[in-house]
Amino acid sequence: MWGEFMRRVKIIIGITLILLCLFTQAVLAIDKPEFDLQTKSAILMDAKTGRILYEKNAHQKLPPASVTKIMTMLLAMEAVDEGRVKWDDKISTSELAAKMGGSQIWLEPGEEMTFEHLIKAVAVVSANDACVAIAEHLYGTEENFVKAMNDKAKELGLENTFFYNTNGLPPTDPDIQGNYTTAADVAKMSLELLKHPKILKFTSIWIDHIRDGESFLRNTNNLVRFFKGADGLKTGYTQEAGFCVSATAKKDGMRFIAVVMNAPNSKVRFNEARSLLNYAFSIHRSVDIVSKGEVVSKVKVFKGEIPEIDAVAKEDLKISVMKGEEKEAVKQTRLNKEVVAPVKVGDKVGEIVVLKGEEVLGRVDLVAKEEVAKANFFKIILQLFKKFISNIMNIFE
């Protein structure tokens, strides 16, 4: 009888050890994914947190070819936000812009095109001539624009990045240093570009036209057409750089960035970017935190006609968490200590932040649901008196 009992105990222990081994292997597989990539360099990033999910030679300096245009588009979008250019501004083509080789929309010297159509041409068909036209319009010369690109790289902490031109074409003189960067730096600049979501209006286009339908545009990024949720960002190819792409996709509120550099051919480039993105979506799940317009809390208003207002979420907030880590996400509601009238609808009065340890998984502003006018003199005096009494009482508690 004792022998039978011990036999069963050994069986149970054996099964437990096997299950623990399998579980440990599964965890390690999530923490350290294995990909048999032909690509020389690659990285996979969570676009909301910046967490690196996978990397291969991610800090190796390589020529980026037209992936360079991520920085070009970033400076262009910043110019829009700063009011230095409008979407319908007409931009004239210089002799320099017109003679750019490689991918282009065949701009003629003196031809005018709107800033919006030029950005579309850069984002969709990787037009080198459009890059130079934009650069000259915004900074006077391409050289000045390139200096701004390198200044921005330093600002973003891209220590292994250098730009020689706006479009990624290699220098004709072999003694001149051309553009170089790393997969890690491309991911960071891609993350920065995504802070300007309007760029996705252009990078997500599959087929379009400009010049009143005379010029046909077809996106160089096949993932936009053949991978669900893909909406950017930029491809690149030269003989020296090989086939490159910074790809991003969004599903169920989750967004990831996959950078592939120096793939041997276009098929491998897209297949490996697709594999990385599929992996990211497979190990994460989306969690709803708050909906746009949802009342989250009451906020006290000082010197107002009414004493408090509703704080509502400015936008929907969803976070992506690794499966099994959902309970580690902690939601914090942070309200402004003092909101002083007058208050307008939409004024920020706080925020919701979701944390996993010290890592920020997501955040959204809380805004005033209603307007509050400033109270008259006597109401303000009464409020000050009540506040004084309240402070005195707190001292003796």
Side-chain angles (χ1 to χ4, degrees):
M1 187 173 181
W2 175 253
E4 178 64 21
F5 172 75
M6 290 303 297
R7 187 179 70 84
R8 290 183 179 181
V9 168
K10 289 178 181 178
I11 291 172
I12 292 171
I13 292 173
I15 292 172
T16 303
L17 289 173
I18 291 171
L19 290 173
L20 283 172
C21 182
L22 291 172
F23 174 77
T24 302
Q25 288 176 349
V27 171
L28 289 174
I30 291 175
D31 289 343
K32 297 180 180 180
E34 293 295 334
F35 293 99
D36 185 20
L37 299 184
Q38 298 179 55
T39 297
K40 183 176 287 187
S41 175
I43 197 166
L44 178 64
M45 175 187 282
D46 185 327
K48 287 197 173 182
T49 65
R51 178 196 285 187
I52 305 303
L53 306 173
Y54 171 81
E55 55 185 320
K56 174 188 176 182
N57 302 326
H59 300 283
Q60 182 177 352
K61 294 178 183 178
L62 293 167
S66 285
V67 172
T68 293
K69 297 178 176 96
I70 290 173
M71 183 62 83
T72 304
M73 291 189 289
L74 173 57
L75 292 189
M77 295 306 293
E78 288 183 343
V80 173
D81 290 348
E82 293 164 5
R84 292 190 289 116
V85 66
K86 296 179 181 178
W87 293 107
D88 58 356
D89 282 354
K90 293 285 185 71
I91 296 176
S92 182
T93 306
S94 69
E95 293 277 354
L96 176 64
K99 72 178 184 180
M100 287 294 110
S103 302
Q104 55 187 301
I105 50 170
W106 309 104
L107 290 170
E108 295 289 340
E111 180 181 0
E112 288 190 338
M113 189 172 286
T114 65
F115 175 76
E116 181 171 3
H117 282 181
L118 288 173
I119 282 289
K120 184 188 293 185
V122 172
V124 179
V125 295
S126 200
N128 297 319
D129 47 1
C131 283
V132 176
I134 290 170
E136 292 177 330
H137 181 76
L138 293 179
Y139 283 83
T141 67
E142 184 185 22
E143 289 77 12
N144 288 340
F145 189 91
V146 172
K147 182 181 182 302
M149 292 170 72
N150 285 310
D151 289 343
K152 189 66 180 181
K154 289 179 183 177
E155 179 187 324
L156 296 176
L158 310 184
E159 297 178 356
N160 297 308
T161 293
F162 168 77
F163 295 109
Y164 161 74
N165 60 24
T166 61
N167 46 43
L169 287 171
T172 54
D173 185 343
D175 294 328
I176 293 178
Q177 175 63 61
N179 296 358
Y180 64 79
T181 187
T182 67
D185 282 1
V186 170
K188 290 176 185 177
M189 68 178 87
S190 298
L191 194 62
E192 192 69 18
L193 180 58
L194 288 170
K195 292 179 181 179
H196 305 270
K198 186 153 187 181
I199 196 64
L200 296 171
K201 171 187 173 183
F202 306 105
T203 60
S204 62
I205 291 170
W206 175 238
I207 289 176
D208 206 340
H209 301 82
I210 54 175
R211 295 189 177 104
D212 296 323
E214 292 181 9
S215 296
F216 175 79
L217 306 179
R218 187 267 201 191
N219 206 321
T220 56
N221 185 358
N222 288 352
L223 295 175
V224 167
R225 174 67 176 82
F226 299 107
F227 186 86
K228 184 179 179 183
D231 51 8
L233 279 167
K234 193 71 204 70
T235 61
Y237 169 76
T238 63
Q239 187 173 359
E240 179 190 21
F243 292 84
C244 309
V245 64
S246 177
T248 186
K250 182 179 181 181
K251 297 179 186 178
D252 300 323
M254 301 182 289
R255 179 178 289 282
F256 300 98
I257 298 167
V259 179
V260 165
M261 297 187 72
N262 201 264
N265 58 59
S266 186
K267 184 177 180 181
V268 168
R269 163 180 59 184
F270 293 127
N271 282 345
E272 296 192 346
R274 182 185 293 109
S275 295
L276 291 171
L277 291 170
N278 273 330
Y279 167 76
F281 285 113
S282 73
I283 65 167
H284 289 81
R285 68 179 293 263
S286 178
V287 179
D288 293 329
I289 301 299
V290 68
S291 300
K292 180 179 180 179
E294 181 180 332
V295 177
V296 175
S297 180
K298 295 282 187 181
V299 179
K300 292 182 179 180
V301 179
F302 183 54
K303 296 183 181 180
E305 282 290 340
I306 56 177
E308 61 181 20
I309 55 172
D310 289 331
V312 301
K314 185 177 181 180
E315 302 290 344
D316 292 339
L317 177 59
K318 293 184 177 183
I319 61 167
S320 60
V321 293
M322 293 183 74
K323 292 175 180 177
E325 295 184 354
E326 293 89 345
K327 291 183 179 179
E328 297 180 36
V330 177
K331 182 178 80 170
Q332 294 183 355
T333 300
R334 303 173 179 176
L335 300 175
N336 293 358
K337 288 184 178 179
E338 190 171 75
V339 177
V340 181
V343 178
K344 297 178 181 178
V345 175
D347 282 354
K348 182 177 178 179
V349 295
E351 64 178 0
I352 290 177
V353 181
V354 184
L355 300 168
K356 178 179 176 288
E358 295 183 357
E359 181 182 16
V360 177
L361 300 179
R363 68 197 323 145
V364 67
D365 287 347
L366 298 177
V367 297
K369 186 180 180 181
E370 55 219 300
E371 184 175 307
V372 182
K374 188 173 182 179
N376 60 40
F377 175 78
F378 294 104
K379 279 189 177 181
I380 292 174
I381 292 298
L382 181 60
Q383 288 180 19
L384 287 170
F385 178 73
K386 288 180 178 179
K387 191 173 183 180
F388 173 75
I389 296 298
S390 175
N391 289 336
I392 293 295
M393 297 298 291
N394 289 335
I395 291 173
F396 290 102
E397 283 184 357

